[in-house]
Amino acid sequence: MPDFADAMAFRHACKRFSEQKIPEATFEQVLEFGRMSPSSFGMEPWRFLVVADTALREALRPLCWNQPQITESSHLLIITADNECIKPGTAYVRAMFARRGLPEEAFERYLGVYADHMGPQFHSREAIEAWTHKQCYLAAANMMTGAASLQIDSCPIEGFEKAKVEALLALEPARSVALIVAFGYRLNPQPEHYRLDLDAVVERR
Ligand SMILES: Cc1cc2nc3c(=O)[nH]c(=O)nc-3n(C[C@H](O)[C@H](O)[C@H](O)COP(=O)(O)O)c2cc1C
């Protein structure tokens, strides 16, 4: 069983995938890593869209800078966000707090804190997406590192025409595409990891 450091070393942005398919039960585990990810206030705004349809993947590719991962990967995951349910005052928000089984007073306090904190931030659709997509990226990171722990490769893909992808997928208006992640098995050896030194990115005060 590889440890976390092994998984971090194994993961890279895989550009070309082999034809080998990830077993469905294994991919379910990857989805589970996403489901179990942390989110601000526990709102879980992500909705995972697994695109298996070949024709749809072919149609997506030109909208994604013609990146081969879109059609060559074993599993293509589109991480979408729901940008309506998380608005203060919705039944969804109440349900997400209610499931904690808090005493009534604490429950109402949580709802108030959420409304006070998020309400002003949610002043535009762009601002809401900025927040929901941040949560989606955390899920994506966990799914990619988790996949690596299972010796599965991945590539996060931000290179796509968002409006066109959303239109092609006919997403309901509440939803947006946060990130695309391709999963599969590497065709080529792993390239070198280029990273800044720790000293360049860590500041201590
Ligand atoms: C949010 C995000 C979006 C990315 N989008 C793309 C992409 O569209 N296509 C691609 O080939 N790589 C993409 N990458 C991969 C990065 O280029 C890569 O992670 C970075 O160069 C570091 O290399 P490594 O992941 O192989 O260590 C993306 C990475 C992140 C985190």
Short mmCIF file of all heavy atoms in Angstrom, two decimals, residues 11-15 64-65 67 69 137 144 155-160 179-180 190-195, ligand 1:
data_model
loop_
_atom_site.label_atom_id
_atom_site.label_comp_id
_atom_site.label_asym_id
_atom_site.label_seq_id
_atom_site.Cartn_x
_atom_site.Cartn_y
_atom_site.Cartn_z
N ARG A 11 1.71 11.05 -8.84
CA ARG A 11 0.78 11.89 -9.62
C ARG A 11 1.52 12.91 -10.47
O ARG A 11 2.47 13.54 -10.04
CB ARG A 11 -0.18 12.64 -8.68
CG ARG A 11 -1.34 13.29 -9.42
CD ARG A 11 -1.72 14.63 -8.83
NE ARG A 11 -0.59 15.55 -8.81
CZ ARG A 11 -0.17 16.26 -9.87
NH1 ARG A 11 -0.80 16.17 -11.03
NH2 ARG A 11 0.89 17.06 -9.79
N HIS A 12 1.11 13.04 -11.68
CA HIS A 12 1.58 14.12 -12.54
C HIS A 12 0.44 14.40 -13.51
O HIS A 12 -0.51 13.62 -13.59
CB HIS A 12 2.86 13.72 -13.29
CG HIS A 12 2.64 12.64 -14.31
ND1 HIS A 12 2.42 11.33 -13.96
CD2 HIS A 12 2.56 12.68 -15.66
CE1 HIS A 12 2.23 10.60 -15.05
NE2 HIS A 12 2.31 11.39 -16.11
N ALA A 13 0.54 15.51 -14.21
CA ALA A 13 -0.50 15.83 -15.18
C ALA A 13 -0.26 14.98 -16.42
O ALA A 13 0.56 15.31 -17.28
CB ALA A 13 -0.47 17.32 -15.51
N CYS A 14 -0.98 13.89 -16.49
CA CYS A 14 -0.78 12.88 -17.54
C CYS A 14 -1.40 13.38 -18.85
O CYS A 14 -2.60 13.67 -18.90
CB CYS A 14 -1.42 11.57 -17.10
SG CYS A 14 -1.16 10.22 -18.25
N LYS A 15 -0.58 13.49 -19.86
CA LYS A 15 -1.08 14.06 -21.13
C LYS A 15 -1.61 13.00 -22.08
O LYS A 15 -2.51 13.26 -22.86
CB LYS A 15 0.04 14.84 -21.84
CG LYS A 15 0.83 15.80 -20.96
CD LYS A 15 0.01 17.00 -20.55
CE LYS A 15 0.84 17.94 -19.68
NZ LYS A 15 0.10 19.04 -19.12
N CYS A 64 -12.09 21.90 -25.73
CA CYS A 64 -11.10 21.78 -24.65
C CYS A 64 -9.69 21.82 -25.26
O CYS A 64 -8.85 20.95 -24.97
CB CYS A 64 -11.30 20.48 -23.88
SG CYS A 64 -12.95 20.30 -23.18
N TRP A 65 -9.48 22.81 -26.09
CA TRP A 65 -8.19 23.02 -26.74
C TRP A 65 -7.71 21.76 -27.47
O TRP A 65 -6.52 21.51 -27.59
CB TRP A 65 -7.12 23.47 -25.73
CG TRP A 65 -7.43 24.71 -24.98
CD1 TRP A 65 -8.53 25.53 -25.11
CD2 TRP A 65 -6.63 25.32 -23.95
NE1 TRP A 65 -8.46 26.58 -24.23
CE2 TRP A 65 -7.30 26.47 -23.50
CE3 TRP A 65 -5.41 24.97 -23.36
CZ2 TRP A 65 -6.79 27.29 -22.50
CZ3 TRP A 65 -4.90 25.79 -22.36
CH2 TRP A 65 -5.58 26.93 -21.94
N GLN A 67 -7.47 18.82 -26.51
CA GLN A 67 -6.54 18.04 -25.69
C GLN A 67 -6.89 16.55 -25.78
O GLN A 67 -8.05 16.15 -25.57
CB GLN A 67 -6.56 18.52 -24.24
CG GLN A 67 -6.14 19.99 -24.13
CD GLN A 67 -5.89 20.42 -22.70
OE1 GLN A 67 -5.05 19.87 -22.01
NE2 GLN A 67 -6.64 21.42 -22.26
N GLN A 69 -6.44 14.10 -23.86
CA GLN A 69 -6.93 13.45 -22.64
C GLN A 69 -8.46 13.34 -22.64
O GLN A 69 -9.03 12.43 -22.02
CB GLN A 69 -6.52 14.25 -21.39
CG GLN A 69 -5.05 14.52 -21.24
CD GLN A 69 -4.68 15.87 -21.82
OE1 GLN A 69 -5.02 16.18 -22.95
NE2 GLN A 69 -3.95 16.68 -21.06
N TYR A 137 -12.34 22.41 -6.47
CA TYR A 137 -10.91 22.15 -6.68
C TYR A 137 -10.33 21.29 -5.55
O TYR A 137 -9.42 20.49 -5.79
CB TYR A 137 -10.14 23.47 -6.80
CG TYR A 137 -10.12 24.05 -8.20
CD1 TYR A 137 -11.30 24.30 -8.89
CD2 TYR A 137 -8.92 24.33 -8.85
CE1 TYR A 137 -11.28 24.82 -10.17
CE2 TYR A 137 -8.90 24.85 -10.13
CZ TYR A 137 -10.08 25.10 -10.79
OH TYR A 137 -10.06 25.60 -12.06
N MET A 144 -7.49 13.28 -7.38
CA MET A 144 -6.26 13.00 -8.14
C MET A 144 -5.21 12.32 -7.28
O MET A 144 -4.58 11.35 -7.71
CB MET A 144 -5.72 14.30 -8.75
CG MET A 144 -6.62 14.83 -9.86
SD MET A 144 -5.91 16.19 -10.79
CE MET A 144 -5.84 17.48 -9.54
N CYS A 155 -5.30 13.93 -15.12
CA CYS A 155 -4.88 15.26 -15.59
C CYS A 155 -6.00 16.26 -15.29
O CYS A 155 -7.13 16.08 -15.77
CB CYS A 155 -4.59 15.25 -17.09
SG CYS A 155 -3.91 16.84 -17.64
N PRO A 156 -5.67 17.29 -14.52
CA PRO A 156 -6.66 18.34 -14.32
C PRO A 156 -6.68 19.20 -15.58
O PRO A 156 -5.63 19.49 -16.15
CB PRO A 156 -6.11 19.14 -13.13
CG PRO A 156 -4.63 18.92 -13.17
CD PRO A 156 -4.40 17.60 -13.85
N ILE A 157 -7.86 19.60 -16.01
CA ILE A 157 -7.97 20.35 -17.27
C ILE A 157 -8.80 21.62 -17.07
O ILE A 157 -10.02 21.56 -16.84
CB ILE A 157 -8.56 19.46 -18.38
CG1 ILE A 157 -7.61 18.28 -18.65
CG2 ILE A 157 -8.83 20.27 -19.65
CD1 ILE A 157 -8.17 17.25 -19.60
N GLU A 158 -8.09 22.72 -17.15
CA GLU A 158 -8.75 24.03 -17.05
C GLU A 158 -8.81 24.67 -18.44
O GLU A 158 -9.45 25.71 -18.61
CB GLU A 158 -7.91 24.92 -16.11
CG GLU A 158 -8.69 25.89 -15.29
CD GLU A 158 -7.79 26.58 -14.28
OE1 GLU A 158 -6.63 26.93 -14.60
OE2 GLU A 158 -8.24 26.78 -13.15
N GLY A 159 -8.12 24.03 -19.37
CA GLY A 159 -8.08 24.57 -20.73
C GLY A 159 -9.31 24.16 -21.52
O GLY A 159 -9.29 23.22 -22.31
N PHE A 160 -10.40 24.87 -21.27
CA PHE A 160 -11.64 24.61 -22.02
C PHE A 160 -12.43 25.90 -22.12
O PHE A 160 -12.24 26.83 -21.33
CB PHE A 160 -12.46 23.49 -21.36
CG PHE A 160 -12.90 23.77 -19.95
CD1 PHE A 160 -14.06 24.49 -19.67
CD2 PHE A 160 -12.14 23.31 -18.87
CE1 PHE A 160 -14.45 24.73 -18.37
CE2 PHE A 160 -12.53 23.55 -17.56
CZ PHE A 160 -13.69 24.27 -17.31
N LEU A 179 -14.12 22.37 -13.27
CA LEU A 179 -12.86 21.77 -13.71
C LEU A 179 -13.15 20.41 -14.36
O LEU A 179 -14.10 19.74 -13.97
CB LEU A 179 -11.94 21.56 -12.49
CG LEU A 179 -10.52 21.06 -12.72
CD1 LEU A 179 -9.67 22.09 -13.47
CD2 LEU A 179 -9.83 20.73 -11.39
N ILE A 180 -12.32 20.06 -15.32
CA ILE A 180 -12.43 18.73 -15.93
C ILE A 180 -11.22 17.92 -15.47
O ILE A 180 -10.11 18.46 -15.40
CB ILE A 180 -12.46 18.85 -17.47
CG1 ILE A 180 -13.67 19.68 -17.92
CG2 ILE A 180 -12.50 17.46 -18.13
CD1 ILE A 180 -13.73 19.97 -19.41
N GLN A 190 6.68 8.91 -16.64
CA GLN A 190 6.38 10.17 -15.95
C GLN A 190 7.48 11.20 -16.19
O GLN A 190 8.66 10.88 -16.01
CB GLN A 190 6.26 9.88 -14.46
CG GLN A 190 5.87 11.09 -13.64
CD GLN A 190 5.82 10.73 -12.16
OE1 GLN A 190 6.55 9.87 -11.72
NE2 GLN A 190 4.96 11.39 -11.43
N PRO A 191 7.13 12.42 -16.59
CA PRO A 191 8.16 13.45 -16.72
C PRO A 191 8.61 13.95 -15.34
O PRO A 191 7.98 13.64 -14.33
CB PRO A 191 7.45 14.57 -17.49
CG PRO A 191 5.99 14.36 -17.25
CD PRO A 191 5.79 12.91 -16.91
N GLU A 192 9.66 14.72 -15.35
CA GLU A 192 10.18 15.28 -14.09
C GLU A 192 9.16 16.24 -13.47
O GLU A 192 8.44 16.93 -14.20
CB GLU A 192 11.47 16.05 -14.42
CG GLU A 192 12.29 16.43 -13.22
CD GLU A 192 13.57 17.16 -13.64
OE1 GLU A 192 14.07 16.88 -14.73
OE2 GLU A 192 14.02 18.01 -12.87
N HIS A 193 9.12 16.28 -12.17
CA HIS A 193 8.31 17.29 -11.48
C HIS A 193 9.14 18.56 -11.35
O HIS A 193 10.25 18.52 -10.82
CB HIS A 193 7.97 16.82 -10.05
CG HIS A 193 6.77 15.94 -9.96
ND1 HIS A 193 6.83 14.67 -9.43
CD2 HIS A 193 5.48 16.15 -10.30
CE1 HIS A 193 5.62 14.14 -9.46
NE2 HIS A 193 4.79 15.01 -9.98
N TYR A 194 8.64 19.67 -11.82
CA TYR A 194 9.33 20.95 -11.62
C TYR A 194 8.62 21.69 -10.51
O TYR A 194 7.42 21.98 -10.62
CB TYR A 194 9.31 21.79 -12.90
CG TYR A 194 10.07 21.13 -14.02
CD1 TYR A 194 9.40 20.57 -15.10
CD2 TYR A 194 11.46 21.06 -14.01
CE1 TYR A 194 10.08 19.94 -16.12
CE2 TYR A 194 12.16 20.43 -15.03
CZ TYR A 194 11.46 19.88 -16.08
OH TYR A 194 12.14 19.25 -17.09
N ARG A 195 9.34 22.01 -9.46
CA ARG A 195 8.72 22.74 -8.35
C ARG A 195 9.72 23.74 -7.78
O ARG A 195 10.94 23.50 -7.78
CB ARG A 195 8.32 21.79 -7.21
CG ARG A 195 7.16 20.87 -7.54
CD ARG A 195 5.85 21.61 -7.74
NE ARG A 195 4.72 20.71 -7.90
CZ ARG A 195 4.33 20.16 -9.06
NH1 ARG A 195 5.02 20.40 -10.17
NH2 ARG A 195 3.28 19.37 -9.11
C1 LIG B 1 -6.32 23.82 -12.18
C2 LIG B 1 -5.38 23.20 -13.15
C3 LIG B 1 -5.66 23.25 -14.50
C4 LIG B 1 -4.82 22.60 -15.41
N1 LIG B 1 -5.17 22.57 -16.74
C5 LIG B 1 -4.43 21.81 -17.57
C6 LIG B 1 -4.85 21.61 -18.91
O1 LIG B 1 -5.85 22.14 -19.38
N2 LIG B 1 -4.11 20.79 -19.69
C7 LIG B 1 -2.98 20.17 -19.23
O2 LIG B 1 -2.37 19.41 -19.99
N3 LIG B 1 -2.55 20.37 -17.97
C8 LIG B 1 -3.25 21.15 -17.13
N4 LIG B 1 -2.84 21.31 -15.84
C9 LIG B 1 -1.61 20.64 -15.38
C10 LIG B 1 -0.50 21.58 -14.98
O3 LIG B 1 0.09 22.16 -16.10
C11 LIG B 1 0.48 20.77 -14.13
O4 LIG B 1 -0.18 20.32 -12.99
C12 LIG B 1 1.69 21.57 -13.71
O5 LIG B 1 2.44 21.96 -14.84
C13 LIG B 1 2.61 20.75 -12.79
O6 LIG B 1 2.96 19.53 -13.39
P1 LIG B 1 2.60 18.13 -12.73
O7 LIG B 1 1.16 18.17 -12.33
O8 LIG B 1 2.86 17.12 -13.82
O9 LIG B 1 3.50 17.94 -11.56
C14 LIG B 1 -3.65 21.97 -14.95
C15 LIG B 1 -3.37 21.97 -13.57
C16 LIG B 1 -4.23 22.55 -12.70
C17 LIG B 1 -3.91 22.46 -11.23
#
